[in-house]
Amino acid sequence: MCDSSQKEDHSTSASDSALFFNYHEFSFPFYKELGSEDAIPKEHDEDHKLCITHFPNVYAPRGSAEFQMTRVVRVPRRFDESRDSLEIPQFSTQLPGSEPAAIVGDNSSGGFVRCGRYDTGDHVFGCSSASPLSELLDAAELAEVVRRVNEYLRREGYEVYGWRNLGGVVLDAVTGGLWSWASGPLLALCGPMFQESRALEQYVAQLNSPGGLLHERGVRLVLPRRSGCLSLDFVVPRPAE
Amino acid sequence: MPLVSRRSTQSESTSITKEDHAGGASRTVLFFRWLVTLEGDQDINEGKGYISIPNISNYIFFFGGRLRTVKGCKPLWLWVLSLIVCPMVLFSIFETHKLWYTKNGYKVLVIFFYYFWIVTFISFIRTATSDPGVLPRNIHLGQLQNNYQIPQEYYNLITLPTHSSVHGDITIKYCPSCRIWRPPRSSHCSTCNICVMVHDHHCIWVNNCIGKRNYRFFLIFLSSAVFSLIFLLVNCAIHIARESGGPRNYPVAILLICYVGLTVWYPAILFTYHVFMAGTQQTTREFLKSIGSKKNPVFHRVIKEKNIFDNGSFLKNLGHLMLEPRGPSFVSARERHEAGDWRFMNLSPVHSFEKI
């Protein structure tokens, strides 16, 4: 098993064969083992470092019950699936833990296997790149959700030579930028046809609402606009021991 | 290594409600805060963005977040504003009527001057006071313990593969100030204290960053400034040509021609520089990095380095950077947010000896 720093060495030293991995995860050797409530944290060897794959839920206030009871699994941005992914936010369609350079370790099943407790609140982590999201969604379901999000992002607001953008450029040039300032409220008055597309928002709302795929699994997808399209964040229940 | 905090961290105390706050503050105070929001308040993290953003940046907001500028900088933008407004005022008082009431159809030249002047003025305001593409903070918080300690792995430069049609891998970096993995081409502006998408540079003349969301306005500002100056020159030259008698009869026209001769070069050169930058698919920041110099990049020979963003042709590159969609505002000064929003929390700064 290798840790993430080894992965980075690998990727930087051989740029021709850089492999994709979830760069949000990190490892930590000093942690409490599972089993007893009052276990004392101790140092572990390279092969048994914890791999931190879920993070504080920054979409809930710190003191709230939601913050205590939920965590965030981040699906990273990916740049190797299409040329325009350098400009348009596109996210990995692979479940965290199944990327080409993910840490697999002794975990051949690919699932989230609990190893120890770490961080404020004694959260449970495994020793591989697999995250608690693996217990809630399968690879095909996640791929389908991310593929559709990527498609919406590609269509909405990032197309350089689309009529909406080019029209906006011309009208901004003619009005000195007044168009962008006034167009939002003006187009809203002209009816839904002219409004900025809200298809991605509607899709995410549908996934998160009762009857939606994610709602049924107890997962919530954070709207990419809320996370600045920096990562595709899934709010999952706090993993139990 | 634990990080040393220079100020107390945000906690549950941040969730003081707006009503509590409003109860203690008079309407006058709230009105003045709406008019000018100079400082953030660590205890208020609720309401509209303009109230909370000053907590985590050096922005000052006006009129409830409709306009912004950066505090702690020399007000050079006032100087630029006066350079835009004063010639128009002089032209309007001393020149316009003489050209307007001729039979030779010079009115159209006067109209063109005023049109380009208005476009210059509005685009200057839009460049200087709009969101350049601010990225949200604290989205990629690693952990809570040890005062939100940043994991060692987050200090590495991460190399990731790109599409087979792109020559080279991409390197991305974590911003320890904003606590986010920065997307390609974005960077942290130490003057504004925020990360900006497709960051070109921080412009001292407009006192704002030039980034993905206001690059368009910046280019319109430069080009329309050149056109308005040319029409100013033409109008004044016509006045002089039509006037009989010596220079005493048209001193303002001479003054304005001198003004045009002195000022037209800067926006013209800067616009040409940006055409070459965009054509070679480089931002000013990337260009400065490639030439390894802190000198004025405008007067440096354009170097075309191997660049993974290069689309192969000058025109394609030009289109991609100059016509780039503005995209949504991720940290809006006008939108409401809930209490205790992590995006507006100033977490403990990294210790001075840690790499930024």
Side-chain angles (χ1 to χ4, degrees):
Chain A
M1 183 163 66
C2 65
D3 66 19
S4 52
S5 60
Q6 283 171 305
K7 286 185 304 193
E8 283 139 22
D9 290 345
H10 172 73
S11 55
T12 48
S13 63
S15 58
D16 288 340
S17 58
L19 293 173
F20 180 75
F21 69 100
N22 190 343
Y23 47 88
H24 294 282
E25 68 189 39
F26 62 93
S27 55
F28 204 80
F30 193 71
Y31 63 89
K32 294 176 193 169
E33 284 180 2
L34 295 180
S36 64
E37 279 296 310
D38 50 355
I40 298 163
K42 61 178 185 181
E43 195 76 20
H44 292 76
D45 60 27
E46 283 290 315
D47 290 347
H48 296 93
K49 282 182 175 179
L50 277 191
C51 190
I52 311 304
T53 55
H54 54 92
F55 306 91
N57 181 4
V58 292
Y59 305 103
R62 171 122 198 219
S64 67
E66 190 190 353
F67 182 81
Q68 310 292 343
M69 300 310 297
T70 54
R71 302 284 288 173
V72 164
V73 174
R74 301 181 200 145
V75 171
R77 276 182 67 165
R78 194 158 183 169
F79 307 97
D80 56 349
E81 289 185 343
S82 63
R83 187 187 164 84
D84 56 10
S85 57
L86 291 173
E87 287 106 28
I88 304 170
Q90 297 286 287
F91 302 101
S92 167
T93 49
Q94 289 178 296
L95 257 179
S98 58
E99 299 92 350
I103 299 167
V104 180
D106 307 327
N107 174 19
S108 54
S109 67
F112 180 63
V113 178
R114 291 144 173 84
C115 290
R117 280 184 274 130
Y118 172 72
D119 201 10
T120 307
D122 275 346
H123 294 282
V124 176
F125 296 92
C127 292
S128 73
S129 298
S131 76
L133 193 62
S134 307
E135 296 180 332
L136 302 160
L137 288 177
D138 64 38
E141 286 169 335
L142 180 101
E144 176 58 17
V145 168
V146 180
R147 191 188 60 73
R148 286 194 65 178
V149 169
N150 286 344
E151 209 175 282
Y152 284 123
L153 284 170
R154 195 183 292 273
R155 259 192 273 157
E156 288 182 15
Y158 287 95
E159 201 183 7
V160 177
Y161 297 107
W163 67 270
R164 189 187 292 273
N165 181 50
L166 289 182
V169 169
V170 171
L171 289 167
D172 267 338
V174 172
T175 62
L178 268 188
W179 169 252
S180 322
W181 178 70
S183 60
L186 274 179
L187 292 182
L189 286 176
C190 295
M193 190 188 150
F194 295 97
Q195 274 186 46
E196 202 174 302
S197 178
R198 298 267 171 203
L200 178 57
E201 269 108 352
Q202 284 166 2
Y203 176 62
V204 173
Q206 179 218 319
L207 286 173
N208 292 336
S209 58
L213 171 72
L214 298 183
H215 188 267
E216 281 175 6
R217 311 290 171 88
V219 181
R220 183 169 65 87
L221 176 60
V222 176
L223 199 63
R225 187 171 170 160
R226 176 69 176 76
S227 61
C229 287
L230 298 170
S231 54
L232 195 61
D233 293 350
F234 291 84
V235 178
V236 298
R238 175 195 167 115
E241 193 173 320
Chain B
M1 183 183 300
L3 302 177
V4 179
S5 171
R6 285 193 284 142
R7 67 173 94 183
S8 62
T9 56
Q10 289 288 90
S11 64
E12 290 79 358
S13 66
T14 56
S15 59
I16 292 174
T17 63
K18 198 182 175 192
E19 285 72 24
D20 292 341
H21 177 72
S26 69
R27 281 178 181 274
T28 319
V29 171
L30 291 176
F31 171 72
F32 279 115
R33 195 182 62 185
W34 174 86
L35 203 62
V36 185
T37 314
L38 282 171
E39 298 285 344
D41 187 335
Q42 286 284 68
D43 290 335
I44 305 172
N45 183 356
E46 188 182 9
K48 286 197 173 180
Y50 75 90
I51 298 167
S52 311
I53 296 172
N55 267 336
I56 45 122
S57 70
N58 292 331
Y59 281 129
I60 301 169
F61 290 97
F62 303 92
F63 306 111
R66 286 175 176 84
L67 306 176
R68 72 177 73 194
T69 189
V70 180
K71 64 189 166 199
C73 299
K74 289 178 187 168
L76 292 172
W77 63 274
L78 276 175
W79 172 241
V80 178
L81 193 65
S82 62
L83 280 177
I84 295 170
V85 173
C86 293
M88 188 277 291
V89 173
L90 286 175
F91 181 80
S92 302
I93 297 170
F94 297 102
E95 302 295 317
T96 308
H97 69 284
K98 287 173 185 165
L99 291 162
W100 194 257
Y101 296 109
T102 62
K103 292 175 183 173
N104 296 331
Y106 294 129
K107 282 178 185 171
V108 70
L109 293 173
V110 176
I111 291 169
F112 269 124
F113 165 71
Y114 278 111
Y115 170 69
F116 283 112
W117 183 88
I118 290 167
V119 170
T120 306
F121 181 77
I122 297 170
S123 55
F124 171 75
I125 300 293
R126 293 286 281 148
T127 309
T129 64
S130 62
D131 171 16
V134 177
L135 286 165
R137 275 196 180 218
N138 303 326
I139 296 294
H140 296 155
L141 201 64
Q143 58 191 354
L144 300 177
Q145 71 175 21
N146 295 338
N147 214 0
Y148 312 104
Q149 184 179 7
I150 297 171
Q152 278 306 311
E153 284 94 330
Y154 281 23
Y155 288 107
N156 295 329
L157 289 173
I158 303 292
T159 306
L160 293 171
T162 52
H163 191 248
S164 54
S165 61
V166 178
H167 301 292
D169 297 325
I170 192 161
T171 303
I172 59 164
K173 199 179 174 187
Y174 186 77
C175 176
S177 302
C178 297
R179 313 269 179 146
I180 54 168
W181 283 101
R182 285 200 290 250
R185 313 196 98 168
S186 52
S187 76
H188 188 85
C189 173
S190 54
T191 311
C192 304
N193 196 23
I194 38 101
C195 275
V196 178
M197 290 184 282
V198 194
H199 190 207
D200 193 83
H201 67 290
H202 179 88
C203 181
I204 55 169
W205 301 107
V206 300
N207 200 23
N208 197 5
C209 277
I210 306 300
K212 184 183 170 81
R213 299 198 78 248
N214 65 350
Y215 190 53
R216 179 185 295 184
F217 306 142
F218 181 63
L219 295 175
I220 296 169
F221 166 57
L222 294 178
S223 50
S224 59
V226 172
F227 281 115
S228 71
L229 287 167
I230 289 170
F231 279 103
L232 182 64
L233 179 79
V234 170
N235 282 315
C236 292
I238 289 169
H239 176 206
I240 290 172
R242 289 172 51 82
E243 192 79 46
S244 54
R248 283 185 182 177
N249 293 339
Y250 40 80
V252 175
I254 293 172
L255 181 75
L256 289 174
I257 285 176
C258 292
Y259 161 81
V260 172
L262 289 172
T263 55
V264 73
W265 303 108
Y266 194 69
I269 291 170
L270 204 55
F271 185 76
T272 313
Y273 159 81
H274 276 281
V275 167
F276 279 100
M277 282 292 101
T280 52
Q281 194 61 236
Q282 297 179 86
T283 63
T284 299
R285 217 187 118 266
E286 289 163 355
F287 183 55
L288 276 173
K289 213 172 162 186
S290 71
I291 62 176
S293 166
K294 288 192 174 177
K295 289 179 184 170
N296 192 340
V298 174
F299 300 108
H300 197 285
R301 190 169 60 87
V302 174
I303 300 168
K304 194 182 174 186
E305 291 239 324
K306 193 182 166 191
N307 183 349
I308 59 166
F309 302 103
D310 197 336
N311 289 298
S313 84
F314 190 87
L315 281 178
K316 271 188 186 172
N317 287 337
L318 204 64
H320 251 85
L321 266 183
M322 288 196 158
L323 306 177
E324 190 175 35
R326 295 178 68 222
S329 177
F330 292 133
V331 188
S332 170
R334 301 271 307 136
E335 268 176 28
R336 282 189 178 279
H337 63 87
E338 288 179 1
D341 195 320
W342 287 80
R343 289 175 298 172
F344 307 105
M345 283 164 65
N346 207 346
L347 304 182
S348 56
V350 290
H351 195 271
S352 58
F353 56 73
E354 294 219 39
K355 191 170 71 177
I356 293 183

